[in-house]
Structures are given as structure tokens and as C-alpha cells.
Amino acid sequence: MYRVELIVINKDGVRDPEGETLKRYVLDPEVPNRISSARVGKFIELLVDASSKEEAERLVAKLAEEKRLYNPIVHKIRVRAERLEDGSS
């Protein structure tokens, strides 16, 4: 069993108004001139029964593409998997 994280964020060059707002009104007042940018996205965690980390990552990437869990025109995805030793979350 693998815990797989699917992270969806805007592609580089695509404006991120939510990230800009977070930086300007939340982060900059606390730590001026220390944060150069902030990006906000979507995080989806799945438990996947697979025989390898690579298989789990491929399966989630395929599902994300086929079921349109993101818009490939403006978003990019990151898929990360880790093996669960005892099958627990």
C-alpha cells in the first residue's frame, strides 16, 4: 500500500492571484523582503494498492490526466508516493 500525493499548481508563467494575495497580505507583513513568491494549489492524498512506488505514481498520474483532476493547459502536477509499512494511514 502506498500513500500518493497529487499536487496541482499553476504552470510557471500562469498568474496565481491567490498566491499573490497570500504573499502580499499575509507573508510580507510578517517577514518583509524574505519571501520572493508564493503559489497556491490543490493537494489530493490517495491510498493506492500497487506493487511498487513507480506503479502507484503512474496510476495516479494517469487517473489525474484521464479524469481531468487538473487542467493541463494551465496546471502542472507533481506525484509523490511513499510506501506504508503496515498499510495504515
Side-chain angles (χ1 to χ4, degrees), residues 18-68:
E18 195 172 355
E20 293 168 5
T21 300
L22 175 70
K23 180 184 178 309
R24 180 176 298 128
Y25 297 107
V26 178
L27 304 175
D28 283 347
E30 293 299 315
V31 287
N33 303 316
R34 303 280 308 268
I35 308 292
S36 61
S37 71
R39 300 181 70 84
V40 175
K42 186 177 2 177
F43 175 87
I44 302 168
E45 183 179 274
L46 305 162
L47 295 180
V48 178
D49 187 11
S51 59
S52 70
K53 175 182 174 181
E54 293 76 18
E55 179 189 358
E57 290 174 344
R58 273 194 311 273
L59 176 66
V60 170
K62 181 180 177 188
L63 285 170
E65 173 114 5
E66 290 178 358
K67 298 303 178 184
R68 306 292 278 172

Short mmCIF file of all heavy atoms in Angstrom, two decimals, residues 18-68:
data_model
loop_
_atom_site.label_atom_id
_atom_site.label_comp_id
_atom_site.label_asym_id
_atom_site.label_seq_id
_atom_site.Cartn_x
_atom_site.Cartn_y
_atom_site.Cartn_z
N GLU A 18 -4.29 33.93 -6.05
CA GLU A 18 -4.39 33.51 -4.66
C GLU A 18 -3.01 33.52 -3.99
O GLU A 18 -2.84 33.96 -2.86
CB GLU A 18 -5.02 32.12 -4.57
CG GLU A 18 -5.48 31.76 -3.19
CD GLU A 18 -6.29 30.47 -3.16
OE1 GLU A 18 -6.58 29.89 -4.23
OE2 GLU A 18 -6.63 30.05 -2.04
N GLY A 19 -2.00 33.04 -4.70
CA GLY A 19 -0.63 33.07 -4.19
C GLY A 19 -0.13 34.50 -4.01
O GLY A 19 0.55 34.81 -3.02
N GLU A 20 -0.45 35.37 -4.96
CA GLU A 20 -0.05 36.78 -4.86
C GLU A 20 -0.68 37.45 -3.64
O GLU A 20 -0.03 38.20 -2.92
CB GLU A 20 -0.45 37.54 -6.13
CG GLU A 20 0.30 37.10 -7.37
CD GLU A 20 -0.30 37.64 -8.66
OE1 GLU A 20 -1.26 38.44 -8.62
OE2 GLU A 20 0.20 37.25 -9.74
N THR A 21 -1.95 37.16 -3.40
CA THR A 21 -2.66 37.73 -2.25
C THR A 21 -2.07 37.22 -0.95
O THR A 21 -1.84 37.98 0.00
CB THR A 21 -4.16 37.40 -2.33
OG1 THR A 21 -4.69 37.96 -3.54
CG2 THR A 21 -4.91 37.95 -1.14
N LEU A 22 -1.79 35.92 -0.88
CA LEU A 22 -1.17 35.34 0.30
C LEU A 22 0.16 36.01 0.61
O LEU A 22 0.44 36.40 1.75
CB LEU A 22 -0.98 33.83 0.09
CG LEU A 22 -0.23 33.08 1.18
CD1 LEU A 22 -1.09 33.00 2.45
CD2 LEU A 22 0.16 31.70 0.70
N LYS A 23 0.97 36.18 -0.40
CA LYS A 23 2.28 36.81 -0.22
C LYS A 23 2.13 38.25 0.26
O LYS A 23 2.75 38.66 1.24
CB LYS A 23 3.09 36.76 -1.51
CG LYS A 23 4.46 37.41 -1.36
CD LYS A 23 5.19 37.45 -2.68
CE LYS A 23 6.54 38.13 -2.60
NZ LYS A 23 6.56 39.43 -2.00
N ARG A 24 1.30 39.01 -0.45
CA ARG A 24 1.19 40.45 -0.17
C ARG A 24 0.60 40.75 1.20
O ARG A 24 1.09 41.61 1.93
CB ARG A 24 0.35 41.12 -1.25
CG ARG A 24 0.19 42.63 -1.04
CD ARG A 24 -0.57 43.32 -2.16
NE ARG A 24 0.17 43.16 -3.41
CZ ARG A 24 -0.38 42.69 -4.54
NH1 ARG A 24 -1.64 42.36 -4.58
NH2 ARG A 24 0.35 42.57 -5.62
N TYR A 25 -0.47 40.05 1.58
CA TYR A 25 -1.21 40.43 2.79
C TYR A 25 -0.94 39.57 4.02
O TYR A 25 -1.28 39.98 5.12
CB TYR A 25 -2.72 40.46 2.49
CG TYR A 25 -3.06 41.49 1.45
CD1 TYR A 25 -3.42 41.11 0.17
CD2 TYR A 25 -2.99 42.85 1.74
CE1 TYR A 25 -3.72 42.06 -0.80
CE2 TYR A 25 -3.29 43.80 0.78
CZ TYR A 25 -3.65 43.40 -0.49
OH TYR A 25 -3.93 44.34 -1.44
N VAL A 26 -0.36 38.40 3.83
CA VAL A 26 -0.12 37.52 4.99
C VAL A 26 1.38 37.37 5.26
O VAL A 26 1.83 37.55 6.39
CB VAL A 26 -0.77 36.13 4.77
CG1 VAL A 26 -0.47 35.21 5.93
CG2 VAL A 26 -2.28 36.27 4.57
N LEU A 27 2.14 37.05 4.23
CA LEU A 27 3.55 36.74 4.44
C LEU A 27 4.44 37.99 4.52
O LEU A 27 5.26 38.10 5.44
CB LEU A 27 4.05 35.82 3.33
CG LEU A 27 3.26 34.51 3.17
CD1 LEU A 27 3.74 33.74 1.97
CD2 LEU A 27 3.35 33.68 4.43
N ASP A 28 4.29 38.91 3.57
CA ASP A 28 5.15 40.10 3.55
C ASP A 28 5.07 40.93 4.83
O ASP A 28 6.11 41.39 5.30
CB ASP A 28 4.85 40.98 2.33
CG ASP A 28 5.46 40.42 1.05
OD1 ASP A 28 6.30 39.51 1.14
OD2 ASP A 28 5.09 40.91 -0.04
N PRO A 29 3.88 41.13 5.42
CA PRO A 29 3.86 41.91 6.67
C PRO A 29 4.63 41.23 7.81
O PRO A 29 5.17 41.91 8.69
CB PRO A 29 2.36 42.00 7.01
CG PRO A 29 1.67 41.85 5.70
CD PRO A 29 2.52 40.88 4.93
N GLU A 30 4.70 39.91 7.80
CA GLU A 30 5.40 39.18 8.87
C GLU A 30 6.90 39.10 8.64
O GLU A 30 7.68 39.19 9.59
CB GLU A 30 4.83 37.77 9.00
CG GLU A 30 3.41 37.72 9.50
CD GLU A 30 3.25 38.32 10.89
OE1 GLU A 30 4.08 38.03 11.77
OE2 GLU A 30 2.30 39.10 11.07
N VAL A 31 7.30 38.88 7.40
CA VAL A 31 8.73 38.74 7.07
C VAL A 31 9.04 39.53 5.79
O VAL A 31 9.21 38.97 4.72
CB VAL A 31 9.13 37.26 6.92
CG1 VAL A 31 9.20 36.57 8.26
CG2 VAL A 31 8.18 36.50 6.01
N PRO A 32 9.10 40.86 5.90
CA PRO A 32 9.31 41.71 4.72
C PRO A 32 10.59 41.32 3.96
O PRO A 32 11.63 41.05 4.56
CB PRO A 32 9.44 43.11 5.30
CG PRO A 32 8.86 43.04 6.67
CD PRO A 32 9.05 41.63 7.13
N ASN A 33 10.46 41.26 2.64
CA ASN A 33 11.59 41.02 1.73
C ASN A 33 12.27 39.66 1.93
O ASN A 33 13.41 39.47 1.53
CB ASN A 33 12.62 42.14 1.85
CG ASN A 33 12.03 43.49 1.57
OD1 ASN A 33 11.25 43.66 0.63
ND2 ASN A 33 12.34 44.46 2.40
N ARG A 34 11.60 38.70 2.54
CA ARG A 34 12.20 37.38 2.75
C ARG A 34 11.56 36.32 1.84
O ARG A 34 12.19 35.35 1.49
CB ARG A 34 12.04 36.93 4.22
CG ARG A 34 12.60 37.86 5.26
CD ARG A 34 14.09 37.77 5.49
NE ARG A 34 14.62 36.46 5.73
CZ ARG A 34 14.79 35.91 6.93
NH1 ARG A 34 14.45 36.55 8.02
NH2 ARG A 34 15.32 34.72 7.03
N ILE A 35 10.30 36.51 1.48
CA ILE A 35 9.58 35.56 0.61
C ILE A 35 9.52 36.17 -0.78
O ILE A 35 8.98 37.25 -0.96
CB ILE A 35 8.14 35.30 1.13
CG1 ILE A 35 8.13 34.88 2.60
CG2 ILE A 35 7.42 34.29 0.24
CD1 ILE A 35 8.73 33.54 2.89
N SER A 36 10.08 35.47 -1.78
CA SER A 36 10.09 36.04 -3.12
C SER A 36 8.82 35.72 -3.91
O SER A 36 8.42 36.49 -4.79
CB SER A 36 11.31 35.57 -3.90
OG SER A 36 11.30 34.17 -4.04
N SER A 37 8.16 34.59 -3.60
CA SER A 37 6.89 34.29 -4.26
C SER A 37 6.15 33.23 -3.46
O SER A 37 6.75 32.50 -2.67
CB SER A 37 7.10 33.81 -5.70
OG SER A 37 7.66 32.52 -5.71
N ALA A 38 4.85 33.15 -3.70
CA ALA A 38 4.01 32.13 -3.07
C ALA A 38 3.06 31.59 -4.14
O ALA A 38 2.54 32.36 -4.94
CB ALA A 38 3.23 32.72 -1.90
N ARG A 39 2.87 30.30 -4.15
CA ARG A 39 1.95 29.67 -5.09
C ARG A 39 0.97 28.82 -4.28
O ARG A 39 1.36 28.14 -3.35
CB ARG A 39 2.71 28.82 -6.09
CG ARG A 39 3.70 29.65 -6.91
CD ARG A 39 4.44 28.84 -7.92
NE ARG A 39 3.61 28.39 -9.01
CZ ARG A 39 3.31 29.09 -10.10
NH1 ARG A 39 3.76 30.32 -10.22
NH2 ARG A 39 2.57 28.59 -11.05
N VAL A 40 -0.27 28.88 -4.68
CA VAL A 40 -1.32 28.13 -4.00
C VAL A 40 -1.87 27.11 -4.98
O VAL A 40 -2.07 27.40 -6.16
CB VAL A 40 -2.44 29.08 -3.51
CG1 VAL A 40 -3.59 28.29 -2.91
CG2 VAL A 40 -1.88 30.06 -2.49
N GLY A 41 -2.09 25.89 -4.51
CA GLY A 41 -2.59 24.84 -5.39
C GLY A 41 -3.56 23.93 -4.67
O GLY A 41 -4.17 24.30 -3.67
N LYS A 42 -3.68 22.74 -5.21
CA LYS A 42 -4.60 21.74 -4.67
C LYS A 42 -3.79 20.51 -4.30
O LYS A 42 -2.89 20.09 -5.03
CB LYS A 42 -5.62 21.39 -5.76
CG LYS A 42 -6.72 20.50 -5.32
CD LYS A 42 -7.77 20.20 -6.38
CE LYS A 42 -7.59 20.79 -7.74
NZ LYS A 42 -8.63 20.39 -8.70
N PHE A 43 -4.11 19.91 -3.15
CA PHE A 43 -3.41 18.73 -2.64
C PHE A 43 -4.43 17.61 -2.48
O PHE A 43 -5.43 17.78 -1.80
CB PHE A 43 -2.76 19.07 -1.29
CG PHE A 43 -2.10 17.92 -0.62
CD1 PHE A 43 -0.79 17.60 -0.91
CD2 PHE A 43 -2.78 17.15 0.31
CE1 PHE A 43 -0.16 16.54 -0.27
CE2 PHE A 43 -2.17 16.09 0.94
CZ PHE A 43 -0.85 15.79 0.65
N ILE A 44 -4.16 16.48 -3.11
CA ILE A 44 -5.04 15.32 -3.02
C ILE A 44 -4.19 14.14 -2.54
O ILE A 44 -3.14 13.85 -3.13
CB ILE A 44 -5.69 14.98 -4.38
CG1 ILE A 44 -6.47 16.19 -4.90
CG2 ILE A 44 -6.58 13.75 -4.26
CD1 ILE A 44 -6.90 16.06 -6.36
N GLU A 45 -4.63 13.47 -1.48
CA GLU A 45 -3.91 12.31 -0.96
C GLU A 45 -4.73 11.05 -1.19
O GLU A 45 -5.92 11.01 -0.88
CB GLU A 45 -3.64 12.49 0.54
CG GLU A 45 -2.83 11.37 1.13
CD GLU A 45 -2.55 11.58 2.59
OE1 GLU A 45 -1.56 12.26 2.90
OE2 GLU A 45 -3.34 11.08 3.42
N LEU A 46 -4.08 10.04 -1.74
CA LEU A 46 -4.75 8.79 -2.06
C LEU A 46 -3.97 7.62 -1.46
O LEU A 46 -2.74 7.66 -1.40
CB LEU A 46 -4.81 8.60 -3.58
CG LEU A 46 -5.47 9.73 -4.37
CD1 LEU A 46 -5.09 9.64 -5.83
CD2 LEU A 46 -6.96 9.69 -4.20
N LEU A 47 -4.68 6.60 -1.03
CA LEU A 47 -4.04 5.33 -0.64
C LEU A 47 -4.22 4.37 -1.81
O LEU A 47 -5.35 4.10 -2.24
CB LEU A 47 -4.67 4.77 0.62
CG LEU A 47 -4.47 5.60 1.89
CD1 LEU A 47 -5.15 4.93 3.07
CD2 LEU A 47 -3.00 5.82 2.17
N VAL A 48 -3.11 3.88 -2.32
CA VAL A 48 -3.13 3.10 -3.56
C VAL A 48 -2.51 1.73 -3.30
O VAL A 48 -1.41 1.63 -2.75
CB VAL A 48 -2.34 3.84 -4.66
CG1 VAL A 48 -2.31 3.01 -5.94
CG2 VAL A 48 -2.95 5.21 -4.93
N ASP A 49 -3.21 0.70 -3.74
CA ASP A 49 -2.68 -0.66 -3.68
C ASP A 49 -1.89 -0.89 -4.97
O ASP A 49 -2.48 -0.95 -6.05
CB ASP A 49 -3.82 -1.66 -3.55
CG ASP A 49 -3.34 -3.08 -3.32
OD1 ASP A 49 -2.13 -3.27 -3.06
OD2 ASP A 49 -4.17 -3.99 -3.40
N ALA A 50 -0.58 -0.95 -4.86
CA ALA A 50 0.28 -1.14 -6.03
C ALA A 50 1.48 -1.98 -5.61
O ALA A 50 1.81 -2.08 -4.43
CB ALA A 50 0.73 0.22 -6.57
N SER A 51 2.16 -2.54 -6.61
CA SER A 51 3.31 -3.41 -6.31
C SER A 51 4.61 -2.63 -6.17
O SER A 51 5.60 -3.17 -5.68
CB SER A 51 3.45 -4.48 -7.38
OG SER A 51 3.62 -3.89 -8.65
N SER A 52 4.62 -1.36 -6.62
CA SER A 52 5.83 -0.55 -6.49
C SER A 52 5.46 0.93 -6.40
O SER A 52 4.35 1.34 -6.77
CB SER A 52 6.76 -0.76 -7.69
OG SER A 52 6.19 -0.19 -8.86
N LYS A 53 6.42 1.71 -5.94
CA LYS A 53 6.24 3.16 -5.86
C LYS A 53 5.97 3.74 -7.25
O LYS A 53 5.08 4.57 -7.43
CB LYS A 53 7.50 3.79 -5.25
CG LYS A 53 7.50 5.28 -5.21
CD LYS A 53 8.80 5.81 -4.64
CE LYS A 53 8.81 7.31 -4.75
NZ LYS A 53 10.03 7.91 -4.23
N GLU A 54 6.73 3.27 -8.23
CA GLU A 54 6.58 3.77 -9.60
C GLU A 54 5.19 3.46 -10.16
O GLU A 54 4.58 4.28 -10.83
CB GLU A 54 7.67 3.18 -10.50
CG GLU A 54 9.06 3.65 -10.17
CD GLU A 54 9.68 2.99 -8.93
OE1 GLU A 54 9.19 1.92 -8.49
OE2 GLU A 54 10.65 3.56 -8.40
N GLU A 55 4.70 2.25 -9.89
CA GLU A 55 3.36 1.88 -10.36
C GLU A 55 2.30 2.76 -9.72
O GLU A 55 1.37 3.23 -10.39
CB GLU A 55 3.06 0.41 -10.05
CG GLU A 55 1.67 -0.01 -10.52
CD GLU A 55 1.26 -1.40 -10.04
OE1 GLU A 55 2.05 -2.09 -9.37
OE2 GLU A 55 0.12 -1.78 -10.34
N ALA A 56 2.42 3.02 -8.43
CA ALA A 56 1.46 3.87 -7.72
C ALA A 56 1.46 5.28 -8.31
O ALA A 56 0.41 5.86 -8.55
CB ALA A 56 1.78 3.91 -6.23
N GLU A 57 2.65 5.82 -8.56
CA GLU A 57 2.76 7.17 -9.13
C GLU A 57 2.20 7.22 -10.55
O GLU A 57 1.47 8.16 -10.90
CB GLU A 57 4.22 7.63 -9.11
CG GLU A 57 4.72 7.92 -7.72
CD GLU A 57 6.19 8.24 -7.64
OE1 GLU A 57 6.95 7.96 -8.61
OE2 GLU A 57 6.60 8.78 -6.60
N ARG A 58 2.51 6.21 -11.35
CA ARG A 58 1.97 6.16 -12.73
C ARG A 58 0.46 6.08 -12.74
O ARG A 58 -0.22 6.75 -13.53
CB ARG A 58 2.55 4.96 -13.48
CG ARG A 58 3.86 5.22 -14.17
CD ARG A 58 4.21 4.13 -15.18
NE ARG A 58 4.10 2.77 -14.66
CZ ARG A 58 5.06 2.12 -14.02
NH1 ARG A 58 6.22 2.69 -13.82
NH2 ARG A 58 4.87 0.88 -13.60
N LEU A 59 -0.10 5.25 -11.85
CA LEU A 59 -1.55 5.08 -11.77
C LEU A 59 -2.23 6.41 -11.44
O LEU A 59 -3.21 6.80 -12.09
CB LEU A 59 -1.91 4.02 -10.74
CG LEU A 59 -3.40 3.81 -10.47
CD1 LEU A 59 -4.10 3.24 -11.70
CD2 LEU A 59 -3.61 2.91 -9.28
N VAL A 60 -1.72 7.11 -10.44
CA VAL A 60 -2.33 8.38 -10.04
C VAL A 60 -2.16 9.44 -11.13
O VAL A 60 -3.10 10.17 -11.44
CB VAL A 60 -1.76 8.85 -8.68
CG1 VAL A 60 -2.20 10.28 -8.37
CG2 VAL A 60 -2.21 7.90 -7.58
N ALA A 61 -1.00 9.50 -11.76
CA ALA A 61 -0.80 10.46 -12.85
C ALA A 61 -1.77 10.18 -14.01
O ALA A 61 -2.35 11.10 -14.58
CB ALA A 61 0.65 10.43 -13.33
N LYS A 62 -1.95 8.90 -14.32
CA LYS A 62 -2.88 8.51 -15.39
C LYS A 62 -4.32 8.89 -15.03
O LYS A 62 -5.05 9.44 -15.86
CB LYS A 62 -2.76 7.01 -15.65
CG LYS A 62 -3.65 6.51 -16.75
CD LYS A 62 -3.49 5.00 -16.95
CE LYS A 62 -4.45 4.52 -18.02
NZ LYS A 62 -4.49 3.07 -18.13
N LEU A 63 -4.73 8.60 -13.80
CA LEU A 63 -6.08 8.96 -13.37
C LEU A 63 -6.29 10.48 -13.41
O LEU A 63 -7.34 10.97 -13.82
CB LEU A 63 -6.35 8.45 -11.96
CG LEU A 63 -6.62 6.96 -11.82
CD1 LEU A 63 -6.61 6.56 -10.36
CD2 LEU A 63 -7.93 6.60 -12.47
N ALA A 64 -5.27 11.22 -12.95
CA ALA A 64 -5.37 12.68 -12.95
C ALA A 64 -5.58 13.21 -14.36
O ALA A 64 -6.39 14.12 -14.57
CB ALA A 64 -4.11 13.29 -12.33
N GLU A 65 -4.87 12.63 -15.32
CA GLU A 65 -4.99 13.07 -16.70
C GLU A 65 -6.34 12.64 -17.31
O GLU A 65 -7.07 13.45 -17.87
CB GLU A 65 -3.85 12.49 -17.52
CG GLU A 65 -3.99 12.75 -19.00
CD GLU A 65 -2.93 13.67 -19.52
OE1 GLU A 65 -2.01 14.03 -18.78
OE2 GLU A 65 -3.04 14.00 -20.70
N GLU A 66 -6.67 11.37 -17.18
CA GLU A 66 -7.87 10.84 -17.82
C GLU A 66 -9.16 11.37 -17.20
O GLU A 66 -10.14 11.57 -17.91
CB GLU A 66 -7.86 9.31 -17.77
CG GLU A 66 -6.82 8.70 -18.67
CD GLU A 66 -6.77 7.18 -18.58
OE1 GLU A 66 -7.53 6.59 -17.79
OE2 GLU A 66 -5.96 6.58 -19.32
N LYS A 67 -9.16 11.58 -15.91
CA LYS A 67 -10.38 12.04 -15.22
C LYS A 67 -10.39 13.55 -15.01
O LYS A 67 -11.25 14.08 -14.31
CB LYS A 67 -10.55 11.31 -13.88
CG LYS A 67 -10.71 9.81 -14.04
CD LYS A 67 -11.89 9.50 -14.94
CE LYS A 67 -12.05 8.01 -15.16
NZ LYS A 67 -13.14 7.72 -16.09
N ARG A 68 -9.41 14.22 -15.61
CA ARG A 68 -9.36 15.70 -15.60
C ARG A 68 -9.35 16.26 -14.18
O ARG A 68 -10.10 17.19 -13.86
CB ARG A 68 -10.49 16.30 -16.41
CG ARG A 68 -10.59 15.78 -17.83
CD ARG A 68 -9.46 16.21 -18.68
NE ARG A 68 -9.71 17.57 -19.16
CZ ARG A 68 -8.82 18.28 -19.81
NH1 ARG A 68 -7.65 17.80 -20.04
NH2 ARG A 68 -9.12 19.49 -20.21
#
